[in-house]
Amino acid sequence: MTDTATFSPLRTPTATRQVGHGDMFTDHMATATWTEGLGWSPLALGPREPIPMNPAMIGLHYAQVVFEGLKAHRQFDGSMAVFRPGENARRFQRSARRLAMPELPADDFLRAVDAVVGADESWLSDDPALSLYLRPLMFATESNLMLRPSREYRFLVIAFVAGGFFGDTVKPVSVWVSHDHTRATPGGTGDVKCAANYGPSFVAQLEAQRAGCQQVIWLDATERRWVEEMGGMNLFFVRGRGAGAAVVTPELTGTLLPGVTRDSLLTLARRLGLGVSEERVSLEQWRSEVRQGLITEVFACGTAAVVTPVGQVRDRDGDFRIGDGEPGAVTMALREALVDLQHGLAPDPDGWMRPVLG
Ligand SMILES: *Cc1c(COP(=O)(O)O)cnc(C)c1O
């Protein structure tokens, strides 16, 4: 773990582009609290500092904790803008509802994001490889160990300087199919961003690494047959090549996290004239369509990963390579379309970028 204090005096953390996911936190945080009967306190912006914590607080023991992830980008004209924060505000409300937590009004979510981005503008370099990753979080703070929802919560937003999640290149990642562990179950919490979804996934991630892979592929929990996600990212398959190519992403069955990047890429793919569909894809189908040359590219996407090609698949029933193992043309075109829009270099017909004043 890095002592973030050592970064503060620098104020120009752009010297290094090889920055990890959460190594370089900024100076400020926005917070608010919720109390039963009183509702939400006014939002406060202050220094990012340790938070007091009762050792019996419900969030710590029973995982009443939800979070979000979104990014602010430096625009081509020097201004700053956040990518589709309204979507994250809505998803944060859905996550809270699922965990029997109070919903934060979307306006408060947006104001908290604006406040942190505005206060920490100097951390956001004009290097397009860097962005500000924002992490809204809400957790149960009441000290009580009854098995019931907390009557007190804290909401906060912190931020860090983010490079590429997989480094600055778009080198394809290798993936390992998990047959022993699943991420989400029907009726569970796989379609919301709650902290309790992630700790249990680490053991499979470690297994993937022991198998020489960077990421884990999740199959559905019921049949262990349908491909759902890669680690904490959504997946896309590309069928065909050139003008006739189509992108396919697993449909939202309730056990997949509905990614904002996933949704954005579906729109951008249509705009690029690609075929687009949401359907279930089985592991068997993935393998055989790759062997037949029908599936030509595969990539993962998410706020942190942006668009990351998948090159190799390792599986107990036989490994296979996607195409020639290099980033594909459709993958790179979609990545560029997304990144250009995020930096104000492409038209934004749906108003996805929310400007923030420094
Ligand atoms: C956050 C997340 C994603 C990606 O969502 P984005 O909104 O695109 O960042 C995908 N899968 C899981 C499991 C996630 O937690």
Side-chain angles (χ1 to χ4, degrees), residues 91 183 193 198 229 231-234 257 259-262 302-303:
R91 190 168 65 192
R183 191 191 80 87
K193 257 178 142 62
Y198 300 88
E229 301 199 51
M233 296 150 232
N234 294 117
L257 194 285
V260 178
T261 318
R262 173 189 181 279
T303 297

Side-chain angles (χ1 to χ4, degrees), residues 67-70 83 87-88 91 133 135 183 190 192-194 197-198 218 228-235 255-264 301-306:
F67 67 93
E68 266 306 325
L70 66 166
F83 184 65
E87 294 300 313
N88 300 89
R91 190 168 65 192
Y133 181 97
R135 170 51 62 89
R183 191 191 80 87
V192 299
K193 257 178 142 62
C194 62
N197 285 348
Y198 300 88
W218 301 113
E228 296 200 322
E229 301 199 51
M230 177 185 106
M233 296 150 232
N234 294 117
L235 272 174
T255 48
L256 279 76
L257 194 285
V260 178
T261 318
R262 173 189 181 279
D263 180 75
S264 307
C301 67
T303 297
V306 192

